[in-house]
Amino acid sequence: MTKRLVLPALSAVAIVYALWLALVSSPDVFQGDFVRIMYVHVPSSWLAFLAFGVTALGSALWLWRKTIVWDRIAEASAEIGVVFTALSILTGAIWGEPVWGTYWDWGDARMASTALMLFVYLGYLALRRATPDPVARAKRSSILGLIAVVQVPLVYFSVSFWRTLHQGQTVRPDGIQMDGSMVAALLAGLAAFTLLYLALMVERVRLARIEDENMLSDSVTAGTAITAPDLDGIS
Amino acid sequence: MKDGSGFWTQALTIARRDLMIESRGGEVFGVVLPFAAVAVFVVPLATDALATRLDQLALPVFWLVGLLFGMQVALRQTGTENLAQRRTLALLGIDPAARFAGRSLAAAVLTTGVMVVIAPLVVLFYDPDVIPAVGPSLLAIVGFSVGLSMLSTLAGDVTVGLRTRSSLAPLIVAPISVPLIIGASQTLEALIRDRSTMAPALLLTVTVLSLAVTGVLTAPALEDATT
């Protein structure tokens, strides 16, 4: 029990530290304090990419090894990815209103492609929910998990492929275009969100195992409860 | 290939079978197409036709109807294989990739047919200022139909046998089909505005090829999952 609390406790401490750094870092020359939303927005987006990448990896490993734990990992990661994609869209919209003057802009390739990525993974989760049998579910969803991951590079490179309102990559091979305190807050946010992802993954995979076990025990109970009809006395 | 069981022979046989079933059932041209025509007709009634520039709605309505009814074509009841049919094909040694190619080909032919009939209706009801050249437009429509058919066939196979298939498959297809919509619609826009069609046509081609590769590579795993 104590061991199980280590990762959540570590991630909680890391998140508090990252938020503190986000609050004390320098404001942006142009955006002022609104830039602080970035310290939640960017880690959320990173976490979504990581989560969907792990979903694809889990799907591929399930298809290769047929070990159910890979399917549970794929499912858990997709669920976490969906939550953080939604958070990324939400924080982006909140930031966009004061800085761009709009919550949503259809001309922005990053926004539109991120929303599409969210819908694709909602479809993935809907497919999982529609298939009660764990093995059949794993077989079907692993294929979709591999197809859906194509959205991730599309979203990431959308700011380079299309002319768009969203800013380009700040961290590039030729250097980082940010103040030192902002970089520290951003890196702390990325590390804290990654720890949170690990903590959520461990718990969700454990929960998925319990769900599968319950489903199997339910089917056994239902099976034993059914007895042959008593036809004595019926002519 | 010599014994008639090569990839393309199998694919063409499956496509011919699907088209034959469709010609008997008449689901696409007897039900889906009239429904699509009604959708084209209803949109102006849902807007204030005097205040709205209908000519500006022509292309969006055309592609939207193409997407929604193209999905219906690929997921049509007459094109759905039941478990017994899938198992029979597997036992006969039909290559799952050829099965995917054949089913997609049949759906692409039918979707192209629907869109070719819908196009003049859109011109008639929406009166667009400029009508793009027929040849290149047809290529864009065919590219879109082929891509959409492959995607819908994939989604249909992933969801086969599920009670929620009719709503789940479109949920999977619609967001993933966006590169197809962008590629095809921008190609047509470029033709209308006399701009280079290189970039959108390339996007359409790359998306179609990616779907073809994905469909062929995942076909054996999908067959294993659904038989």
Side-chain angles (χ1 to χ4, degrees):
Chain A
M1 185 66 191
T2 326
K3 256 175 145 177
R4 262 185 57 201
L5 290 175
V6 173
L7 208 48
L10 262 178
S11 57
V13 171
I15 281 176
V16 170
Y17 178 64
L19 285 177
W20 178 73
L21 282 183
L23 289 174
V24 298
S25 66
S26 319
D28 185 75
V29 178
F30 301 108
Q31 302 170 32
D33 283 329
F34 291 116
V35 76
R36 297 183 204 287
I37 298 173
M38 184 185 73
Y39 304 122
V40 177
H41 175 72
V42 175
S44 299
S45 306
W46 147 249
L47 207 54
F49 293 156
L50 172 72
F52 295 145
V54 171
T55 297
L57 186 68
S59 301
L61 286 170
W62 189 88
L63 282 172
W64 182 34
R65 306 304 297 258
K66 299 281 189 290
T67 313
I68 201 74
V69 72
W70 294 118
D71 181 59
R72 289 180 191 144
I73 288 175
E75 177 188 30
S77 202
E79 285 182 2
I80 297 168
V82 162
V83 170
F84 281 91
T85 305
L87 184 64
S88 169
I89 292 172
L90 185 69
T91 50
I94 292 169
W95 176 87
E97 212 287 321
V99 178
W100 290 342
T102 177
Y103 287 110
W104 188 267
D105 183 73
W106 278 111
D108 186 69
R110 177 61 71 80
M111 276 186 186
S113 58
T114 307
L116 282 171
M117 185 169 75
L118 177 70
F119 289 125
V120 167
Y121 280 92
L122 283 174
Y124 171 87
L125 293 178
L127 175 67
R128 293 194 66 92
R129 295 221 183 336
T131 321
D133 177 63
V135 178
R137 185 171 59 212
K139 283 177 176 176
R140 289 168 191 259
S141 59
S142 58
I143 292 161
L144 187 56
L146 283 176
I147 297 171
V149 79
V150 177
Q151 294 283 328
V152 173
L154 255 178
V155 174
Y156 184 75
F157 290 111
S158 59
V159 285
S160 312
F161 290 162
W162 292 284
R163 268 177 297 175
T164 176
L165 197 58
H166 198 285
Q167 70 181 80
Q169 287 138 359
T170 312
V171 180
R172 292 193 296 257
D174 58 329
I176 300 173
Q177 323 290 318
M178 287 168 82
D179 175 72
S181 69
M182 295 165 98
V183 175
L186 189 59
L187 291 179
L190 290 171
F193 271 58
T194 308
L195 271 174
L196 177 66
Y197 168 74
L198 290 173
L200 290 171
M201 276 296 283
V202 169
E203 286 307 306
R204 186 62 187 89
V205 170
R206 195 178 63 81
L207 195 62
R209 183 173 51 78
I210 295 169
E211 281 171 356
D212 286 348
E213 285 168 2
N214 279 350
M215 208 206 76
L216 287 172
S217 64
D218 282 353
S219 60
V220 170
T221 310
T224 51
I226 298 166
T227 53
D230 183 6
L231 300 175
D232 283 351
I234 300 174
S235 56
Chain B
M1 287 295 279
K2 280 180 187 165
D3 62 354
S5 60
F7 178 88
W8 286 111
T9 310
Q10 291 185 2
L12 289 173
T13 306
I14 296 280
R16 202 165 52 235
R17 176 207 64 175
D18 276 10
L19 291 174
M20 204 179 287
I21 294 171
E22 169 51 36
S23 74
R24 288 174 187 157
E27 187 179 345
V28 172
F29 291 98
V31 181
V32 177
L33 181 61
F35 189 15
V38 169
V40 170
F41 185 72
V42 160
V43 173
L45 298 178
T47 60
D48 183 353
L50 291 175
T52 311
R53 295 273 313 268
L54 286 181
D55 56 320
Q56 290 185 343
L57 288 179
L59 278 178
V61 165
F62 177 66
W63 290 115
L64 188 66
V65 168
L67 172 69
L68 297 178
F69 292 90
M71 277 192 290
Q72 280 220 335
V73 167
L75 300 168
R76 68 197 182 283
Q77 197 58 40
T78 51
T80 306
E81 286 171 344
N82 62 31
L83 188 60
Q85 287 171 317
R86 296 172 75 85
R87 282 184 177 156
T88 306
L89 288 176
L91 287 170
L92 283 170
I94 299 290
D95 183 352
R99 209 184 121 267
F100 165 76
R103 287 171 56 74
S104 301
L105 182 63
V109 168
L110 295 170
T111 306
T112 304
V114 168
M115 292 188 74
V116 165
V117 175
I118 289 300
L121 291 180
V122 171
V123 172
L124 182 73
F125 289 136
Y126 294 75
D127 194 21
D129 289 338
V130 188
I131 300 168
V134 173
S137 304
L138 195 60
L139 276 180
I141 291 171
V142 169
F144 174 76
S145 300
V146 170
L148 184 66
S149 300
M150 286 192 289
L151 184 56
S152 301
T153 303
L154 262 173
D157 283 352
V158 164
T159 55
V160 75
L162 299 178
R163 276 180 302 172
T164 50
R165 180 178 190 256
S166 56
S167 50
L168 188 54
L171 173 63
I172 292 169
V173 174
I176 303 180
S177 69
V178 166
L180 287 172
I181 280 273
I182 292 175
S185 64
Q186 292 299 311
T187 303
L188 228 58
E189 280 281 352
L191 284 169
I192 289 169
R193 308 209 183 287
D194 215 14
R195 290 193 307 240
S196 167
T197 55
M198 179 66 103
L202 190 66
L203 175 67
L204 184 62
T205 309
V206 168
T207 310
V208 170
L209 289 177
S210 308
L211 284 168
V213 170
T214 308
V216 166
L217 289 181
T218 57
L222 205 48
E223 183 177 84
D224 177 44
T226 52
T227 48

